[in-house]
């Protein structure tokens, strides 16, 4: 079974699944670094070529920070919590939103067996 059926290089499906997981993790890390780097590059270019706009954006943040309470950030915390819950769901259940355990069957079986047997 699996996408590696019929391979001629001697690797088993488990080895191929592990390699695919490593590849997907590498791609996700590259995308995250790229997004963070793009944001930093944008701020640097704004600072160099449009300093008055950069300073105006900083002035918008600084005075408001002194007058805000933690409860003012509740809507943002709620959104961050929802995104974190979805990301955890995707990580634990192998990327399948509809059917838990549908993504990486052998890893999910091990995960749940550890939860059940180690009570």
């Amino acid at each position: 079974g699996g996408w590696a059926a019929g391979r001629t290089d001697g690797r088993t499906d488990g080895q191929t699944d592990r390699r695919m997981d490593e590849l997907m993790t590498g791609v996700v890390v590259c995308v995250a670094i790229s997004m963070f780097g793009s944001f930093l590059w944008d701020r640097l270019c704004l600072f160099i070529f449009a300093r008055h706009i950069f300073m105006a954006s900083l002035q918008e943040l600084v005075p408001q920070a002194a007058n805000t309470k933690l409860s003012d950030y509740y809507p943002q915390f709620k959104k961050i919590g929802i995104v974190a819950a979805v990301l955890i769901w995707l990580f634990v259940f192998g990327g399948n939103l509809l059917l838990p355990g549908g993504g990486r069957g052998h890893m999910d079986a091990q995960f749940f067996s550890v939860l059940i047997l180690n009570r």
Side-chain angles (χ1 to χ4, degrees):
W3 73 277
R7 292 186 64 100
T8 59
D9 61 1
R11 283 195 304 233
T12 63
D13 286 340
Q15 290 170 328
T16 304
D17 288 345
R18 189 178 69 246
R19 291 176 60 89
M20 287 301 295
D21 286 343
E22 291 172 0
L23 178 67
M24 289 188 324
T25 301
V27 168
V28 169
V29 168
C30 285
V31 168
I33 291 171
S34 176
M35 289 176 60
F36 184 70
S38 295
F39 175 75
L40 290 178
W41 184 255
D42 177 66
R43 296 292 113 186
L44 178 66
C45 288
L46 196 61
F47 178 75
I48 293 171
F49 297 112
R51 191 164 295 173
H52 62 284
I53 296 174
F54 179 78
M55 292 302 175
S57 67
L58 284 182
Q59 288 175 355
E60 281 290 317
L61 291 176
V62 174
Q64 291 178 357
N67 298 327
T68 57
K69 301 178 295 255
L70 188 61
S71 61
D72 294 335
Y73 294 106
Y74 177 73
Q76 288 82 9
F77 289 146
K78 183 178 176 184
K79 289 176 187 175
I80 290 171
I82 291 170
V83 169
V86 169
L87 290 175
I88 289 169
W89 178 271
L90 290 173
F91 177 75
V92 169
F93 295 118
N96 194 333
L97 285 174
L98 299 177
L99 180 65
R104 300 180 216 140
H106 65 283
M107 291 179 71
D108 291 333
Q110 289 174 354
F111 176 75
F112 288 116
S113 67
V114 167
L115 283 179
I116 293 170
L117 297 175
N118 290 335
R119 284 190 176 188

